[in-house]
Amino acid sequence: MNNQIWIMTSAFDKLSLDDVIIKAQEAGVQGLDVCVFRRDGTRDDFVATHLDYENFGLDDAKKLLDKFNGARLQFSIGAFDNLIGGDSEQRVKNQNHLLRLIRMAHLLGGDANDVKVGTFVGYNHELGNQEYGFQKNLEEYARIFAPIIKYAEDLGVTVLYENCPMEGWRSPGYTGTFNNLPGVLAARKLMYELIPSKAHGEIYDPSHDVWQHVDPSEVIQHTDMVRLHRIHVKATRRGNNVHWGNMYPMQLVDKDLAKRAGVPICSNEWDRHNYEAMLPGFGGSDSMDWRAFVNTLKEQGFTGPFEIENEAALSKGTGNMGAIMQGFKATTLNLAPMLWELTEAGYQYNAGGFRELKQAASKDVPVVTMEVLS
């Protein structure tokens, strides 16, 4: 097994793409998951924009492929927002942005170069609060995404959903914390049944199942491996929420009342399930058996990249570039004996397996919008 290790560029939101490539080479990884969020988007956490999506054409695609070939790196692109719920104006903007990224991936060679497009689906709480709200969200997903996935399929591009429930995406005053449809395995299986196309699949991040008290190895055993294209490497140190239990999120109540009763309450939107974001091998033990997880992936035939998503409190959370790079390097070294062969220099990626990115698409295609697709 000679899986590559990549870096997700959200950890380098203040750096240019050229600077990020230098950091990737310093960390000893083989690829980048390039974040291309909307510059006018509403998210303010773990976002970055490392490509000019508004002026991207065929010449830009050729130059970008040459840049990555020169650096001997692979890459994908992505942006992660709510596409089926939230503010209606922002929802449409997010949908149209995903279409832009699909076009960009096509110009960059798409599936032929393994350039995928990462995204969230989001959740529509107006529908979700109704009876059968989950089913109604599935139907809304199918309505919105059927033309998007058909567009991607026609262009030779695969769209990938990440399984983060986005538990902090709403005010802690709301009871529930499920804010992204593919946040559980059942939803993903139902989604593929609704849209059978092979032009969509998933990025699996085990940390999101760990804090839900689900074993990621079991999830992989029940996953259709044809759909699994990427693994996000992010760890979770799980706590014990004795006051609120582990089935439901911590709730926000009157602060004075909680203080008098001696009951802990959340301090912010993301402080509701009592866990700490970590990187495996950096800053202590996390609540997951990484060797067992990687072995399960091997047994199931997974050959895709492992993408380090650095949201660790002790690394990216410090804002210190030295600590950020230490986190990436430590995680790479932690994964190395599980992924790479032992050589005289230790566990090393077999660089002879580098696959040069092919040339871009032969001709440009216009930008489309949801209005056009509909």
Side-chain angles (χ1 to χ4, degrees):
M1 189 176 189
N2 196 38
N3 298 81
Q4 295 183 344
I5 298 176
W6 293 12
I7 281 176
M8 193 168 182
T9 70
S10 53
F12 301 110
D13 50 307
K14 301 294 192 296
L15 300 184
S16 69
L17 180 60
D18 287 342
D19 289 335
V20 175
I21 287 175
I22 293 172
K23 294 295 185 185
Q25 292 171 323
E26 180 185 339
V29 299
Q30 295 77 48
L32 291 177
D33 191 344
V34 180
C35 291
V36 193
F37 283 84
R38 283 174 49 206
R39 293 189 182 89
D40 61 343
T42 58
R43 285 192 62 178
D44 59 3
D45 61 319
F46 301 110
V47 296
T49 304
H50 283 117
L51 291 175
D52 183 4
Y53 60 86
E54 293 174 307
N55 301 291
F56 195 86
L58 194 55
D59 288 341
D60 301 290
K62 292 176 180 177
K63 291 176 183 176
L64 193 63
L65 291 169
D66 288 341
K67 183 190 296 287
F68 274 86
N69 279 332
R72 294 184 67 80
L73 295 172
Q74 310 288 316
F75 72 101
S76 278
I77 61 176
F80 302 83
D81 282 294
N82 193 344
L83 278 75
I84 67 171
D87 178 82
S88 58
E89 181 179 351
Q90 295 298 321
R91 185 187 319 171
V92 174
K93 287 184 177 181
N94 291 334
Q95 293 164 7
N96 287 336
H97 186 67
L98 178 57
L99 294 176
R100 279 184 179 270
L101 297 190
I102 292 169
R103 170 186 172 269
M104 289 171 65
H106 166 72
L107 296 181
L108 291 162
D111 290 339
N113 279 332
D114 198 30
V115 178
K116 313 294 187 187
V117 177
T119 187
F120 285 157
V121 171
Y123 201 75
N124 188 312
H125 289 284
E126 293 179 1
L127 297 175
N129 290 335
Q130 302 172 19
E131 188 174 10
Y132 303 112
F134 197 85
Q135 173 67 35
K136 290 178 180 179
N137 265 271
L138 285 168
E139 292 166 359
E140 181 67 0
Y141 154 77
R143 185 183 74 82
I144 295 296
F145 271 82
I148 293 175
I149 301 305
K150 178 62 168 60
Y151 175 68
E153 184 174 30
D154 289 345
L155 292 183
V157 173
T158 300
V159 173
L160 304 181
Y161 313 114
E162 190 194 341
N163 62 304
C164 180
M166 290 305 287
E167 63 278 9
W169 221 348
R170 301 174 87 204
S171 159
Y174 289 100
T175 302
T177 56
F178 190 84
N179 300 312
N180 182 35
L181 186 61
V184 291
L185 177 62
R188 300 193 294 276
K189 286 178 171 284
L190 293 164
M191 289 159 58
Y192 302 137
E193 191 66 25
L194 288 169
I195 305 177
S197 170
K198 296 300 183 183
H200 59 156
E202 59 199 73
I203 305 165
Y204 180 63
D205 185 331
S207 72
H208 302 307
D209 275 331
V210 170
W211 65 254
Q212 294 180 75
H213 297 261
V214 174
D215 182 354
S217 293
E218 290 190 25
V219 174
I220 295 301
Q221 290 169 356
H222 289 86
T223 294
D224 180 355
M225 297 303 289
V226 173
R227 298 291 187 181
L228 182 59
H229 296 266
R230 305 282 190 265
I231 296 294
H232 269 183
V233 179
K234 184 165 81 261
T236 292
R237 187 177 179 88
R238 191 171 58 212
N240 181 23
N241 198 344
V242 65
H243 284 89
W244 291 99
N246 292 313
M247 184 175 292
Y248 307 106
M250 188 184 303
Q251 302 299 318
L252 187 63
V253 298
D254 180 81
K255 291 182 180 180
D256 290 336
L257 173 63
K259 184 176 181 179
R260 295 199 308 269
V263 171
I265 57 174
C266 51
S267 59
N268 59 64
E269 289 84 351
W270 296 96
D271 179 31
R272 301 194 63 188
H273 287 280
N274 200 29
Y275 68 86
E276 176 191 349
M278 299 183 67
L279 287 174
F282 187 71
S285 301
D286 62 84
S287 300
M288 175 175 156
D289 186 338
W290 280 91
R291 183 181 292 181
F293 177 64
V294 171
N295 285 341
T296 300
L297 286 165
K298 289 181 180 179
E299 292 165 1
Q300 298 297 109
F302 178 72
T303 59
F306 286 72
E307 301 177 347
I308 306 173
E309 183 183 15
N310 190 344
E311 297 179 356
L314 296 174
S315 186
K316 170 61 176 173
T318 67
N320 180 290
M321 185 56 68
I324 292 171
M325 288 304 296
Q326 283 181 325
F328 281 122
K329 291 175 182 178
T331 302
T332 300
L333 289 173
N334 186 63
L335 288 173
M338 293 181 261
L339 299 182
W340 300 336
E341 294 182 0
L342 182 62
T343 72
E344 291 184 359
Y347 295 96
Q348 296 287 320
Y349 174 73
N350 181 4
F354 175 75
R355 178 179 56 84
E356 188 168 282
L357 298 162
K358 302 173 185 177
Q359 283 303 306
S362 58
K363 62 179 181 179
D364 205 343
V365 294
V367 174
V368 301
T369 65
M370 290 300 292
E371 184 178 10
V372 171
L373 287 189
S374 299

